[in-house]
Amino acid sequence: MRFLVVLQWFIALWFGAAISGAQGRLSGSLTIYAATSLTDVFEAVGAAFAEAQPKVEILLNFANSATLAAQIAAGAPADIFASANELQMDHVIESGRVEASEVEIFAHNRLTVIAPADNPADVMTIEDLTKEAVLLVLAAEGTPIRAYTNAMLASYNEDFGEAFSERVLRNLVSEESNVRQVVARVALGEADAGVVYQSDALGDVADQLIAISIDERHNQLASYPIAPLNDTAAQDQALAFIRFLRTEEAQAIMAENGFCWPVVLNGVRPTVVRSEPDVAGADNGEAQQFACEAATSEAG
């Protein structure tokens, strides 16, 4: 009996050491090129990942997806690319630095109209963007958020006439290089309205803005693909980070930041990596997942 007790103790000790070693076995740096709209959420996810892999240094480089894709195609030393749309990921695939088979959609986002908290132009609906003298600011052409915005405005032509999107764009007074700059201009009262991702209307600027909902029939489901660079020297670290994005812990962080994870990926529900149960996080996640599932269904 004493032998069995000692044997069980050794097994438990070995198993615990194996788990501890697996958690901290990775080391080195991991450079992630990520879309500007991922700034807050990737900083939070990166911090959580660092707790699990304390020997891995996360280096985050944020810019609009088109700029990042061009930099990567030109040879920039990145390990992971996370884009705000699939088009820019396709450009990187065409450059030969990412394999198409390695790409996966890890999150979704939606659009919202924002106005300053005091709302001087009295913008309350999407149709109000056509009011005379409304100062509208959008991200520049070529950015994912602008492509989603253009598609959303064009969709409203069905409700308000073929010239609706043109009338909105007549009020365009500034085009910013990324969505964070759009948020800043509106939050500072330098513009009357802007179109951003729903995740951008949260966080530190939330009390400086009002968010105006966009009809689900016209809203756009923004997809965020991610992939490791095929010439990365940090392959294990990159795959570990991407896998971490599928954990309940990371999904809860995404939900808190206004993102939702894909419930359908190429016709298959993605595998969720289970962590310790978190009732509060699970409830929040279930609500976000329901919203995403409805949005995914409507978007086809």
Side-chain angles (χ1 to χ4, degrees):
M1 178 66 71
R2 181 177 297 177
F3 171 77
L4 291 177
V5 171
V6 172
L7 179 61
Q8 289 173 346
W9 180 81
F10 272 112
I11 291 173
L13 183 64
W14 174 85
F15 186 68
I19 292 176
S20 177
Q23 274 194 327
R25 72 183 184 278
L26 297 177
S27 62
S29 63
L30 180 64
T31 300
I32 302 174
Y33 277 37
T36 305
S37 54
L38 292 168
T39 300
D40 292 341
V41 71
F42 262 31
E43 286 177 348
V45 168
F49 179 78
E51 291 185 7
Q53 298 290 347
K55 295 182 180 179
V56 177
E57 181 185 14
I58 302 291
L59 304 174
L60 295 168
N61 178 33
F62 298 107
N64 76 63
S65 298
T67 296
L68 295 176
Q71 291 174 349
I72 292 172
D79 299 310
I80 289 176
F81 178 40
S83 174
N85 71 356
E86 295 174 84
L87 176 63
Q88 301 307 325
M89 182 63 76
D90 288 343
H91 291 331
V92 175
I93 292 171
E94 291 169 5
S95 76
R97 296 202 65 197
V98 161
E99 296 296 332
S101 60
E102 295 295 318
V103 177
E104 63 179 84
I105 304 297
F106 72 94
H108 284 143
N109 212 337
R110 305 289 271 167
L111 302 182
T112 189
V113 175
I114 57 171
D118 58 353
N119 200 7
D122 195 29
V123 175
M124 302 301 295
T125 68
I126 191 78
E127 194 171 13
D128 289 338
L129 296 180
T130 64
K131 285 182 178 179
E132 187 176 354
V134 166
L135 304 178
L136 176 67
V137 59
L138 299 174
E141 291 284 359
T143 60
I145 181 66
R146 183 58 179 272
Y148 293 127
T149 298
N150 289 346
M152 178 271 292
L153 292 175
S155 176
Y156 269 105
N157 289 346
E158 301 173 7
D159 292 357
F160 302 128
E162 293 183 3
F164 172 76
S165 58
E166 293 180 11
R167 288 188 287 128
V168 170
L169 294 176
R170 284 181 198 143
N171 285 331
L172 183 60
V173 295
S174 179
E175 295 179 293
E176 305 301 323
S177 63
N178 61 64
V179 68
R180 302 279 286 199
Q181 291 181 356
V182 174
V183 173
R185 292 289 301 274
V186 176
L188 291 171
E190 297 174 357
D192 296 322
V195 179
V196 300
Y197 297 113
Q198 64 182 10
S199 58
D200 294 308
L202 303 176
D204 295 340
V205 298
D207 60 349
Q208 299 172 260
L209 302 169
I210 61 170
I212 298 151
S213 63
I214 296 171
D215 192 298
E216 285 300 314
R217 293 183 302 115
H218 303 295
N219 210 326
Q220 305 295 302
L221 188 68
S223 296
Y224 286 74
I226 192 169
L229 277 292
N230 57 24
D231 56 358
T232 175
Q235 186 74 14
D236 291 343
Q237 296 93 323
L239 294 178
F241 181 84
I242 292 171
R243 177 175 171 79
F244 183 75
L245 289 174
R246 297 196 296 267
T247 64
E248 288 182 334
E249 181 180 4
Q251 290 180 349
I253 292 171
M254 286 192 289
E256 290 168 4
N257 282 271
F259 290 84
C260 42
W261 52 92
V263 293
V264 177
L265 180 60
N266 297 328
V268 179
R269 290 181 182 275
T271 300
V272 174
V273 180
R274 299 293 175 187
S275 60
E276 292 299 317
D278 180 346
V279 175
D283 289 344
N284 189 15
E286 286 171 4
Q288 289 287 339
Q289 182 169 337
F290 178 81
C292 279
E293 187 162 8
T296 304
S297 175
E298 291 179 10

